[in-house]
Amino acid sequence: MQMDLTSYLIDPNDIQFVDGVHDSEEWFNIVAGYRTQLMQSSSHSWLLFESDTFMFSAMFCALLAAGKSIVLPQNAQPEHIRDIKNRVQASIGSADIDPDIVTKTSWPKLPATIVNISGNANVTFFTSGSTGQAKVIEKKFWQLQTEVNSLEVNFGAIIKGSTLLSTVSHQHIYGLLFKVLWPISKGHRFVCQALEYPEHIVNKITTQKLGAVALVASPAHLHRLFLDNPLIPCKQHINNIFSSGGPLDADKNISLQQQLQCRLIEVYGSTETGGIGWRHRDSIDDDIWQTFEEVSVALQPGTELLLLSSPYIINNPFYGDDKIELLSSQKFRLLGRADDIVKIEEKRISLQEVQLRCKQHEYVQDVCVIVIGENRKQLAAVIELNDLGKQAKETMPLHLFNRLFRGFLAQWFEAVTLPKKFRYPLQIPYNAQGKLNRQAMESYFE
């Protein structure tokens, strides 16, 4: 078991808020106030949900500096919070802290060592919960900080002098690392607000006169820029884009890099493993992943499944569910998930392949194919139409429109394996992390 009980210090002089509202002195004042109150509380484990990244980052550091454990819900929906409280074996307190007292009181000026966080401090995450019940993932702070160090080694030089902007939530590990811990720990300029729409990004770049920026985004956000990209007028400011949370279509990846004349870096990993590897595509055929520093990959004996060794997971090696083509211990191709292969009418079929073929249709913007049915399993497709597809759908009966897609897919797949049901929502449902929300998609067929 790997363990690092080092205390991590955050120097206020290194924090660079670039939003015209907040500064590091205010941040440390809030951290000091929260920490003072938290030290007086008997509650050890705290549920932390805060939509404002400035307040979230201060509360996050204050909790850990006070020796508390943090539980990060994915959202503030009542049933989700209730589920967490039922599952996490900890006393979750919140009423003891008065935010008005914290933010309105002038606390004594404290040295930087007030944010002194033990490497053994606990942070609990929940997986996306796209299917079934969300999985609880517990991390030590040293694991997160080790990953931050790896991000700095790999990408620190290319974002130096840039301002980090983000479209993702800090409640998830990708957003927490890239949007909060990396810039705070390593002194990179960043904007606290989550910029949900491209127009918000453009407005922030122009009104704040940010200069060079690096965008932290998800595939869900980036896919929607493909046909209509409001960022083009300020492309001279965008040097780098990071994407994580799911696969980014190769054609959209290359197109965005060409449109914005920037570098797009995909990051592969999970809540459980942290970052595993990254890639920057120069062409559609360039699909090789490079592992992060001190991370190595291999194959599980007799399989194509990933076997991972990493400095920021506790139990090495990690047995993954992703299939890979092993090129070396530091380079690999992703071949899909083991559970991507399903049997329909005794025929083995890859859900990912059906999706990829469907995306080749001129009417399709995005698609997800799922398995439905308890006794007799069949495929069902949730298709987000582009403008051309929406126009075509209005011109014909629905059963003929469905038949059009079945006929298109019949070029590659046997009739018994074709999707039997189709739904056409305005947008494919993604969660706050930019991952497909399979529960929502399954609800279309109930």
Side-chain angles (χ1 to χ4, degrees), residues 286-306:
D286 183 7
D287 59 353
I288 297 175
W289 295 88
Q290 166 71 51
T291 64
F292 283 106
E293 293 294 310
E294 299 183 31
V295 174
S296 63
V297 293
L299 293 176
Q300 297 175 32
T303 74
E304 294 180 305
L305 297 178
L306 169 71

PDB file of all heavy atoms in Angstrom, residues 286-306:
ATOM      1  N   ASP A 286      -4.942   9.036 -35.672  1.00  0.00           N
ATOM      2  CA  ASP A 286      -4.002   9.117 -34.556  1.00  0.00           C
ATOM      3  C   ASP A 286      -4.757   8.834 -33.256  1.00  0.00           C
ATOM      4  O   ASP A 286      -5.325   9.730 -32.638  1.00  0.00           O
ATOM      5  CB  ASP A 286      -3.383  10.518 -34.524  1.00  0.00           C
ATOM      6  CG  ASP A 286      -2.336  10.660 -33.424  1.00  0.00           C
ATOM      7  OD1 ASP A 286      -1.999   9.650 -32.791  1.00  0.00           O
ATOM      8  OD2 ASP A 286      -1.866  11.790 -33.213  1.00  0.00           O
ATOM      9  N   ASP A 287      -4.777   7.561 -32.832  1.00  0.00           N
ATOM     10  CA  ASP A 287      -5.618   7.155 -31.708  1.00  0.00           C
ATOM     11  C   ASP A 287      -4.825   6.537 -30.549  1.00  0.00           C
ATOM     12  O   ASP A 287      -5.362   5.783 -29.740  1.00  0.00           O
ATOM     13  CB  ASP A 287      -6.684   6.162 -32.167  1.00  0.00           C
ATOM     14  CG  ASP A 287      -6.082   4.900 -32.791  1.00  0.00           C
ATOM     15  OD1 ASP A 287      -4.850   4.853 -32.993  1.00  0.00           O
ATOM     16  OD2 ASP A 287      -6.847   3.957 -33.077  1.00  0.00           O
ATOM     17  N   ILE A 288      -3.546   6.836 -30.451  1.00  0.00           N
ATOM     18  CA  ILE A 288      -2.692   6.226 -29.431  1.00  0.00           C
ATOM     19  C   ILE A 288      -2.688   7.078 -28.161  1.00  0.00           C
ATOM     20  O   ILE A 288      -2.544   8.298 -28.204  1.00  0.00           O
ATOM     21  CB  ILE A 288      -1.258   6.058 -29.953  1.00  0.00           C
ATOM     22  CG1 ILE A 288      -1.251   5.094 -31.149  1.00  0.00           C
ATOM     23  CG2 ILE A 288      -0.332   5.532 -28.853  1.00  0.00           C
ATOM     24  CD1 ILE A 288       0.100   4.958 -31.807  1.00  0.00           C
ATOM     25  N   TRP A 289      -2.859   6.408 -27.022  1.00  0.00           N
ATOM     26  CA  TRP A 289      -2.826   7.054 -25.713  1.00  0.00           C
ATOM     27  C   TRP A 289      -1.443   6.916 -25.086  1.00  0.00           C
ATOM     28  O   TRP A 289      -0.802   5.868 -25.195  1.00  0.00           O
ATOM     29  CB  TRP A 289      -3.863   6.425 -24.776  1.00  0.00           C
ATOM     30  CG  TRP A 289      -5.276   6.643 -25.201  1.00  0.00           C
ATOM     31  CD1 TRP A 289      -6.005   5.864 -26.050  1.00  0.00           C
ATOM     32  CD2 TRP A 289      -6.131   7.715 -24.798  1.00  0.00           C
ATOM     33  NE1 TRP A 289      -7.264   6.389 -26.206  1.00  0.00           N
ATOM     34  CE2 TRP A 289      -7.372   7.518 -25.444  1.00  0.00           C
ATOM     35  CE3 TRP A 289      -5.973   8.812 -23.945  1.00  0.00           C
ATOM     36  CZ2 TRP A 289      -8.457   8.385 -25.264  1.00  0.00           C
ATOM     37  CZ3 TRP A 289      -7.040   9.675 -23.767  1.00  0.00           C
ATOM     38  CH2 TRP A 289      -8.262   9.473 -24.428  1.00  0.00           C
ATOM     39  N   GLN A 290      -1.007   7.973 -24.420  1.00  0.00           N
ATOM     40  CA  GLN A 290       0.255   8.013 -23.687  1.00  0.00           C
ATOM     41  C   GLN A 290      -0.061   8.035 -22.198  1.00  0.00           C
ATOM     42  O   GLN A 290      -0.881   8.836 -21.762  1.00  0.00           O
ATOM     43  CB  GLN A 290       1.041   9.268 -24.069  1.00  0.00           C
ATOM     44  CG  GLN A 290       2.211   9.603 -23.154  1.00  0.00           C
ATOM     45  CD  GLN A 290       3.363   8.630 -23.317  1.00  0.00           C
ATOM     46  OE1 GLN A 290       3.807   8.385 -24.436  1.00  0.00           O
ATOM     47  NE2 GLN A 290       3.851   8.080 -22.215  1.00  0.00           N
ATOM     48  N   THR A 291       0.559   7.179 -21.405  1.00  0.00           N
ATOM     49  CA  THR A 291       0.282   7.175 -19.972  1.00  0.00           C
ATOM     50  C   THR A 291       0.902   8.407 -19.300  1.00  0.00           C
ATOM     51  O   THR A 291       1.836   9.013 -19.814  1.00  0.00           O
ATOM     52  CB  THR A 291       0.839   5.917 -19.286  1.00  0.00           C
ATOM     53  OG1 THR A 291       2.265   5.920 -19.394  1.00  0.00           O
ATOM     54  CG2 THR A 291       0.270   4.660 -19.892  1.00  0.00           C
ATOM     55  N   PHE A 292       0.363   8.747 -18.130  1.00  0.00           N
ATOM     56  CA  PHE A 292       0.944   9.809 -17.326  1.00  0.00           C
ATOM     57  C   PHE A 292       2.237   9.326 -16.671  1.00  0.00           C
ATOM     58  O   PHE A 292       2.580   8.141 -16.723  1.00  0.00           O
ATOM     59  CB  PHE A 292      -0.054  10.255 -16.253  1.00  0.00           C
ATOM     60  CG  PHE A 292      -1.151  11.130 -16.786  1.00  0.00           C
ATOM     61  CD1 PHE A 292      -2.437  10.641 -16.941  1.00  0.00           C
ATOM     62  CD2 PHE A 292      -0.895  12.444 -17.144  1.00  0.00           C
ATOM     63  CE1 PHE A 292      -3.449  11.436 -17.438  1.00  0.00           C
ATOM     64  CE2 PHE A 292      -1.896  13.262 -17.644  1.00  0.00           C
ATOM     65  CZ  PHE A 292      -3.180  12.756 -17.787  1.00  0.00           C
ATOM     66  N   GLU A 293       2.943  10.281 -16.048  1.00  0.00           N
ATOM     67  CA  GLU A 293       4.212   9.972 -15.384  1.00  0.00           C
ATOM     68  C   GLU A 293       4.041   8.829 -14.376  1.00  0.00           C
ATOM     69  O   GLU A 293       3.126   8.847 -13.560  1.00  0.00           O
ATOM     70  CB  GLU A 293       4.737  11.208 -14.642  1.00  0.00           C
ATOM     71  CG  GLU A 293       5.163  12.346 -15.569  1.00  0.00           C
ATOM     72  CD  GLU A 293       6.362  11.990 -16.410  1.00  0.00           C
ATOM     73  OE1 GLU A 293       7.361  11.516 -15.827  1.00  0.00           O
ATOM     74  OE2 GLU A 293       6.313  12.183 -17.640  1.00  0.00           O
ATOM     75  N   GLU A 294       4.910   7.845 -14.450  1.00  0.00           N
ATOM     76  CA  GLU A 294       4.980   6.714 -13.525  1.00  0.00           C
ATOM     77  C   GLU A 294       3.756   5.795 -13.597  1.00  0.00           C
ATOM     78  O   GLU A 294       3.609   4.892 -12.776  1.00  0.00           O
ATOM     79  CB  GLU A 294       5.184   7.191 -12.083  1.00  0.00           C
ATOM     80  CG  GLU A 294       6.475   7.982 -11.888  1.00  0.00           C
ATOM     81  CD  GLU A 294       6.676   8.384 -10.431  1.00  0.00           C
ATOM     82  OE1 GLU A 294       6.232   7.648  -9.548  1.00  0.00           O
ATOM     83  OE2 GLU A 294       7.272   9.456 -10.211  1.00  0.00           O
ATOM     84  N   VAL A 295       2.877   6.023 -14.573  1.00  0.00           N
ATOM     85  CA  VAL A 295       1.752   5.115 -14.803  1.00  0.00           C
ATOM     86  C   VAL A 295       2.153   4.123 -15.889  1.00  0.00           C
ATOM     87  O   VAL A 295       2.763   4.496 -16.896  1.00  0.00           O
ATOM     88  CB  VAL A 295       0.498   5.895 -15.246  1.00  0.00           C
ATOM     89  CG1 VAL A 295      -0.631   4.939 -15.635  1.00  0.00           C
ATOM     90  CG2 VAL A 295       0.028   6.838 -14.142  1.00  0.00           C
ATOM     91  N   SER A 296       1.838   2.850 -15.689  1.00  0.00           N
ATOM     92  CA  SER A 296       2.138   1.845 -16.709  1.00  0.00           C
ATOM     93  C   SER A 296       0.933   0.940 -16.914  1.00  0.00           C
ATOM     94  O   SER A 296       0.110   0.747 -16.012  1.00  0.00           O
ATOM     95  CB  SER A 296       3.359   1.004 -16.310  1.00  0.00           C
ATOM     96  OG  SER A 296       3.104   0.280 -15.122  1.00  0.00           O
ATOM     97  N   VAL A 297       0.818   0.394 -18.115  1.00  0.00           N
ATOM     98  CA  VAL A 297      -0.302  -0.480 -18.453  1.00  0.00           C
ATOM     99  C   VAL A 297       0.221  -1.817 -18.953  1.00  0.00           C
ATOM    100  O   VAL A 297       1.324  -1.925 -19.484  1.00  0.00           O
ATOM    101  CB  VAL A 297      -1.214   0.170 -19.518  1.00  0.00           C
ATOM    102  CG1 VAL A 297      -1.913   1.401 -18.965  1.00  0.00           C
ATOM    103  CG2 VAL A 297      -0.427   0.524 -20.778  1.00  0.00           C
ATOM    104  N   ALA A 298      -0.626  -2.826 -18.772  1.00  0.00           N
ATOM    105  CA  ALA A 298      -0.329  -4.172 -19.251  1.00  0.00           C
ATOM    106  C   ALA A 298      -1.669  -4.846 -19.526  1.00  0.00           C
ATOM    107  O   ALA A 298      -2.729  -4.234 -19.361  1.00  0.00           O
ATOM    108  CB  ALA A 298       0.482  -4.958 -18.216  1.00  0.00           C
ATOM    109  N   LEU A 299      -1.609  -6.104 -19.940  1.00  0.00           N
ATOM    110  CA  LEU A 299      -2.831  -6.871 -20.179  1.00  0.00           C
ATOM    111  C   LEU A 299      -3.039  -7.869 -19.056  1.00  0.00           C
ATOM    112  O   LEU A 299      -2.086  -8.500 -18.576  1.00  0.00           O
ATOM    113  CB  LEU A 299      -2.751  -7.623 -21.508  1.00  0.00           C
ATOM    114  CG  LEU A 299      -2.724  -6.785 -22.785  1.00  0.00           C
ATOM    115  CD1 LEU A 299      -2.544  -7.689 -24.007  1.00  0.00           C
ATOM    116  CD2 LEU A 299      -3.989  -5.952 -22.925  1.00  0.00           C
ATOM    117  N   GLN A 300      -4.303  -7.997 -18.622  1.00  0.00           N
ATOM    118  CA  GLN A 300      -4.624  -9.071 -17.685  1.00  0.00           C
ATOM    119  C   GLN A 300      -4.385 -10.404 -18.394  1.00  0.00           C
ATOM    120  O   GLN A 300      -4.691 -10.532 -19.589  1.00  0.00           O
ATOM    121  CB  GLN A 300      -6.079  -8.956 -17.228  1.00  0.00           C
ATOM    122  CG  GLN A 300      -6.382  -7.673 -16.460  1.00  0.00           C
ATOM    123  CD  GLN A 300      -7.852  -7.526 -16.125  1.00  0.00           C
ATOM    124  OE1 GLN A 300      -8.545  -8.516 -15.903  1.00  0.00           O
ATOM    125  NE2 GLN A 300      -8.341  -6.293 -16.096  1.00  0.00           N
ATOM    126  N   PRO A 301      -3.791 -11.381 -17.708  1.00  0.00           N
ATOM    127  CA  PRO A 301      -3.411 -12.644 -18.351  1.00  0.00           C
ATOM    128  C   PRO A 301      -4.545 -13.264 -19.163  1.00  0.00           C
ATOM    129  O   PRO A 301      -5.664 -13.426 -18.672  1.00  0.00           O
ATOM    130  CB  PRO A 301      -3.031 -13.528 -17.159  1.00  0.00           C
ATOM    131  CG  PRO A 301      -2.577 -12.555 -16.114  1.00  0.00           C
ATOM    132  CD  PRO A 301      -3.465 -11.351 -16.279  1.00  0.00           C
ATOM    133  N   GLY A 302      -4.239 -13.566 -20.425  1.00  0.00           N
ATOM    134  CA  GLY A 302      -5.182 -14.253 -21.289  1.00  0.00           C
ATOM    135  C   GLY A 302      -6.333 -13.410 -21.788  1.00  0.00           C
ATOM    136  O   GLY A 302      -7.308 -13.951 -22.322  1.00  0.00           O
ATOM    137  N   THR A 303      -6.260 -12.094 -21.623  1.00  0.00           N
ATOM    138  CA  THR A 303      -7.359 -11.220 -22.028  1.00  0.00           C
ATOM    139  C   THR A 303      -6.818  -9.987 -22.753  1.00  0.00           C
ATOM    140  O   THR A 303      -5.611  -9.790 -22.869  1.00  0.00           O
ATOM    141  CB  THR A 303      -8.176 -10.735 -20.812  1.00  0.00           C
ATOM    142  OG1 THR A 303      -7.420  -9.738 -20.108  1.00  0.00           O
ATOM    143  CG2 THR A 303      -8.501 -11.875 -19.873  1.00  0.00           C
ATOM    144  N   GLU A 304      -7.753  -9.154 -23.216  1.00  0.00           N
ATOM    145  CA  GLU A 304      -7.412  -7.841 -23.765  1.00  0.00           C
ATOM    146  C   GLU A 304      -7.682  -6.741 -22.746  1.00  0.00           C
ATOM    147  O   GLU A 304      -7.625  -5.559 -23.079  1.00  0.00           O
ATOM    148  CB  GLU A 304      -8.241  -7.560 -25.022  1.00  0.00           C
ATOM    149  CG  GLU A 304      -7.962  -8.453 -26.204  1.00  0.00           C
ATOM    150  CD  GLU A 304      -8.842  -8.085 -27.387  1.00  0.00           C
ATOM    151  OE1 GLU A 304     -10.085  -8.057 -27.217  1.00  0.00           O
ATOM    152  OE2 GLU A 304      -8.292  -7.807 -28.469  1.00  0.00           O
ATOM    153  N   LEU A 305      -7.965  -7.107 -21.500  1.00  0.00           N
ATOM    154  CA  LEU A 305      -8.379  -6.147 -20.487  1.00  0.00           C
ATOM    155  C   LEU A 305      -7.196  -5.425 -19.854  1.00  0.00           C
ATOM    156  O   LEU A 305      -6.123  -6.000 -19.655  1.00  0.00           O
ATOM    157  CB  LEU A 305      -9.210  -6.839 -19.401  1.00  0.00           C
ATOM    158  CG  LEU A 305     -10.538  -7.449 -19.864  1.00  0.00           C
ATOM    159  CD1 LEU A 305     -11.226  -8.154 -18.701  1.00  0.00           C
ATOM    160  CD2 LEU A 305     -11.448  -6.377 -20.454  1.00  0.00           C
ATOM    161  N   LEU A 306      -7.437  -4.187 -19.488  1.00  0.00           N
ATOM    162  CA  LEU A 306      -6.409  -3.317 -18.908  1.00  0.00           C
ATOM    163  C   LEU A 306      -5.953  -3.798 -17.537  1.00  0.00           C
ATOM    164  O   LEU A 306      -6.767  -4.125 -16.669  1.00  0.00           O
ATOM    165  CB  LEU A 306      -6.980  -1.897 -18.788  1.00  0.00           C
ATOM    166  CG  LEU A 306      -6.182  -0.886 -17.965  1.00  0.00           C
ATOM    167  CD1 LEU A 306      -4.906  -0.496 -18.709  1.00  0.00           C
ATOM    168  CD2 LEU A 306      -7.026   0.350 -17.667  1.00  0.00           C
TER     169      LEU A 306
END
